[in-house]
Amino acid sequence: MKTLVIISHPDIMESGSQQYLLSSIPDNKDITVHHLESLYPDFKIDVEKEQALLKEHDRIIFQFPYYWYSSPALLKKWQDDVLTDGFAYGKNGKALTEKEFGLIVTIGVKKEEYQPGGREGFSIDELTKPYQALALKTKMTFLKTLPIFQFSYLTEDQKMTLLIRYQQYLTQEKDDSLEAREKWFLQELKSTDLSKLNEGDQFILEQTIEFIEESRDTIDELKIVLDQMN
Amino acid sequence: MKTLVIISHPDIMESGSQQYLLSSIPDNKDITVHHLESLYPDFKIDVEKEQALLKEHDRIIFQFPYYWYSSPALLKKWQDDVLTDGFAYGKNGKALTEKEFGLIVTIGVKKEEYQPGGREGFSIDELTKPYQALALKTKMTFLKTLPIFQFSYLTEDQKMTLLIRYQQYLTQEKDDSLEAREKWFLQELKSTDLSKLNEGDQFILEQTIEFIEESRDTIDELKIVLDQMN
């Protein structure tokens, strides 16, 4: 699976959350990071190039700070210019069909305000309906949104958990089961470059992999026993 | 009441619906029409000028063609640049408080598609939630949206009805009662320049005004009778 992360942020170098997320993206040929403001500071978008890029990927992600309950303007311009009739929808417009489409949104306000009675009054799921409608129109599968509330207030532990959620969002096959997550962790652990670790850490990593595989064996055995009981 | 119509349309001269609406706007010092793409073709917005303009008006209207369930990108840029913390919201950000805020949206697809099961899947009221949230945040009163579906398919009669709805949207005090609409019609009729009409039309216009005023008298009398019966 190839993932395209389209980032729109007018001031990405100054953004703690964007820099944190970016620094965690593994050097992986299946992930393309694509920052619009760096490429098109004058708002003039190379439509053919963008359409070709979309075709090469299976999962399309919009990553942006939440400005007035939507993306920065350049991403909107990108939508209007690139997702044309005949390409993304309409007769013969099937280029995005069956791809996956997700949103990673950084938000300055706390989660509790996004509900009736809260200061923002509406939930993120309500406010992202234009994107849900886009997925419907282009026949893409809409993924659960990954909202990141008040990044700068997160503890180090919360940030680590976020990183894992983020990396899963980019690379984990769409399936939230224990087995899928387990498979993802094993894959990540096994692809770690052991030579960069000291001996102690190498040992811990190998033991972790063995532990996860053993748990899987135990779970599978328990399931067999349960099946025989029924 | 002063109304500011902020239009965002990248190709306004070629738009039949926009030209039709524009041509109907009366020469009225209380209505300011403000086309963003003419003013800021390079997406560089004069924030101070825009904020001053907002302050001078009581009703703020966004008028735009529906692109991906939202406005064209320049209006989004305008929102992000102009509606700043400290001006439109946040501590001391009270510049828009108690103003009215409405949307006039031209839409190429027919109304029936904007519902679950329809091709667009969501209603206009669902898709405009980001604007409703904006009104809430800036403490403006959100007006009923005026969606214009498939303008080019309208009959001449439907277009005339639309024009009246449009002009009411710009100038009628927020109140949908029969009395408010009546007041609006009388005002419009009375401000018509009679010298431009032929004698027959002048006569009809005067009779219409008399007729509306008489209906009002009748309604008022009936109400008094009803009140006495209770």
Side-chain angles (χ1 to χ4, degrees):
Chain A
M1 184 183 71
K2 295 190 73 174
T3 299
L4 175 62
V5 187
I6 299 173
I7 305 181
S8 182
H9 195 304
D11 202 7
I12 196 166
M13 297 309 287
E14 299 302 315
S15 162
S17 56
Q18 296 295 332
Q19 290 302 320
Y20 187 76
L21 295 175
L22 281 176
S23 69
S24 83
I25 292 181
D27 202 11
N28 180 331
K29 65 177 180 4
D30 290 337
I31 301 176
T32 309
V33 176
H34 195 63
H35 178 235
L36 296 181
E37 281 78 2
S38 304
L39 290 159
Y40 306 116
D42 58 358
F43 276 68
K44 291 195 174 65
I45 291 167
D46 184 338
V47 174
E48 273 184 42
K49 192 180 128 192
E50 296 296 316
Q51 290 185 341
L53 200 63
L54 283 171
K55 283 187 188 168
E56 286 166 21
H57 293 81
D58 310 293
R59 178 174 293 177
I60 316 297
I61 291 171
F62 286 179
Q63 178 177 319
F64 56 84
Y66 218 31
Y67 287 178
W68 286 114
Y69 315 107
S70 187
S71 77
L74 185 55
L75 178 51
K76 185 67 203 341
K77 183 84 164 38
W78 181 96
Q79 289 174 238
D80 297 344
D81 288 1
V82 177
L83 305 181
T84 52
D85 189 352
F87 173 79
Y89 66 96
K91 207 160 172 281
N92 304 320
K94 304 194 192 324
L96 304 180
T97 304
E98 288 181 19
K99 294 186 191 297
E100 293 173 341
F101 174 54
L103 306 176
I104 297 173
V105 187
T106 53
I107 300 172
V109 172
K110 64 183 175 199
K111 187 178 180 182
E112 289 68 32
E113 304 296 349
Y114 283 90
Q115 60 177 318
R119 269 197 295 139
E120 309 298 334
F122 300 88
S123 71
I124 301 298
D125 286 342
E126 285 179 295
L127 293 166
T128 55
K129 286 201 190 287
Y131 297 103
Q132 299 168 39
L134 186 156
L136 185 74
K137 183 96 171 178
T138 58
K139 299 194 169 62
M140 292 194 283
T141 302
F142 192 73
L143 302 173
K144 291 176 199 162
T145 297
L146 174 56
I148 302 171
F149 297 96
Q150 297 195 302
F151 173 82
S152 54
Y153 296 154
L154 297 183
T155 64
E156 282 310 308
D157 274 4
Q158 287 171 325
K159 282 185 186 172
M160 281 310 297
T161 309
L162 168 64
L163 270 201
I164 291 171
R165 284 279 295 122
Y166 179 65
Q167 295 185 2
Q168 287 175 330
Y169 205 92
L170 303 194
T171 59
Q172 186 182 290
E173 300 286 335
K174 189 178 171 292
D175 178 356
D176 241 2
S177 67
L178 181 63
E179 200 169 340
R181 278 180 292 147
E182 177 189 287
K183 194 177 137 201
W184 183 85
F185 274 111
L186 283 177
Q187 215 169 13
E188 292 297 307
L189 290 171
K190 285 179 179 169
S191 69
T192 304
D193 186 354
L194 290 179
S195 67
K196 285 186 187 155
L197 298 177
N198 64 36
E199 263 182 49
D201 287 343
Q202 279 185 28
F203 181 73
I204 288 173
L205 202 131
E206 284 162 7
Q207 291 297 308
T208 309
I209 292 174
E210 254 180 55
F211 169 75
I212 293 178
E213 285 172 341
E214 265 180 48
S215 315
R216 170 51 47 194
D217 290 343
T218 311
I219 290 170
D220 287 344
E221 278 164 27
L222 283 169
K223 278 186 176 167
I224 291 169
V225 173
L226 271 169
D227 281 350
Q228 286 168 343
M229 285 170 67
N230 288 329
Chain B
M1 185 183 71
K2 296 189 73 173
T3 299
L4 175 61
V5 187
I6 299 174
I7 305 180
S8 182
H9 195 304
D11 203 6
I12 196 166
M13 298 309 287
E14 299 301 316
S15 162
S17 55
Q18 295 295 332
Q19 290 302 319
Y20 186 76
L21 296 175
L22 281 176
S23 69
S24 84
I25 292 182
D27 203 9
N28 181 331
K29 63 178 181 7
D30 290 337
I31 302 177
T32 308
V33 176
H34 196 63
H35 177 234
L36 296 181
E37 281 78 4
S38 304
L39 289 160
Y40 306 115
D42 58 357
F43 278 68
K44 292 194 174 65
I45 291 166
D46 183 338
V47 174
E48 273 183 42
K49 192 180 128 191
E50 296 296 317
Q51 291 184 341
L53 201 62
L54 284 170
K55 283 186 188 168
E56 286 165 21
H57 293 81
D58 311 293
R59 177 174 293 176
I60 316 297
I61 290 170
F62 286 180
Q63 178 176 319
F64 56 83
Y66 219 31
Y67 287 179
W68 287 114
Y69 315 107
S70 186
S71 78
L74 185 55
L75 178 51
K76 186 66 201 346
K77 184 86 165 34
W78 182 96
Q79 288 175 238
D80 298 343
D81 288 2
V82 177
L83 305 181
T84 51
D85 189 351
F87 173 78
Y89 65 96
K91 207 160 172 279
N92 304 319
K94 304 194 192 326
L96 304 179
T97 303
E98 288 181 19
K99 294 186 192 294
E100 294 172 342
F101 175 54
L103 306 175
I104 297 173
V105 188
T106 55
I107 299 173
V109 172
K110 63 183 177 201
K111 187 179 180 181
E112 290 68 32
E113 304 296 349
Y114 283 89
Q115 59 177 315
R119 268 197 294 139
E120 310 297 334
F122 299 88
S123 71
I124 301 299
D125 285 341
E126 285 178 297
L127 293 166
T128 55
K129 287 203 190 287
Y131 297 102
Q132 297 168 41
L134 186 156
L136 185 72
K137 184 98 170 177
T138 58
K139 298 194 170 61
M140 291 194 283
T141 303
F142 192 72
L143 302 174
K144 291 176 197 163
T145 297
L146 175 56
I148 302 171
F149 297 97
Q150 296 195 305
F151 172 82
S152 55
Y153 295 154
L154 297 183
T155 63
E156 283 309 309
D157 274 4
Q158 288 171 325
K159 283 184 186 171
M160 281 309 298
T161 308
L162 168 63
L163 271 201
I164 291 170
R165 285 278 296 121
Y166 179 66
Q167 295 185 2
Q168 287 176 329
Y169 205 92
L170 303 195
T171 59
Q172 185 182 289
E173 300 286 335
K174 188 178 171 290
D175 177 358
D176 240 0
S177 67
L178 181 63
E179 200 169 340
R181 278 181 291 148
E182 176 189 288
K183 194 178 138 200
W184 182 83
F185 275 111
L186 283 177
Q187 214 169 14
E188 291 299 306
L189 291 171
K190 285 179 179 170
S191 70
T192 304
D193 186 353
L194 290 178
S195 66
K196 284 188 186 154
L197 298 177
N198 64 37
E199 263 181 49
D201 287 343
Q202 280 186 28
F203 181 73
I204 289 173
L205 202 130
E206 285 161 7
Q207 291 297 307
T208 308
I209 292 174
E210 255 180 55
F211 168 77
I212 294 177
E213 285 172 341
E214 267 180 47
S215 315
R216 170 51 45 196
D217 290 342
T218 311
I219 290 171
D220 287 345
E221 278 164 28
L222 283 168
K223 278 186 177 167
I224 290 168
V225 174
L226 270 168
D227 280 351
Q228 286 168 343
M229 284 170 67
N230 288 326

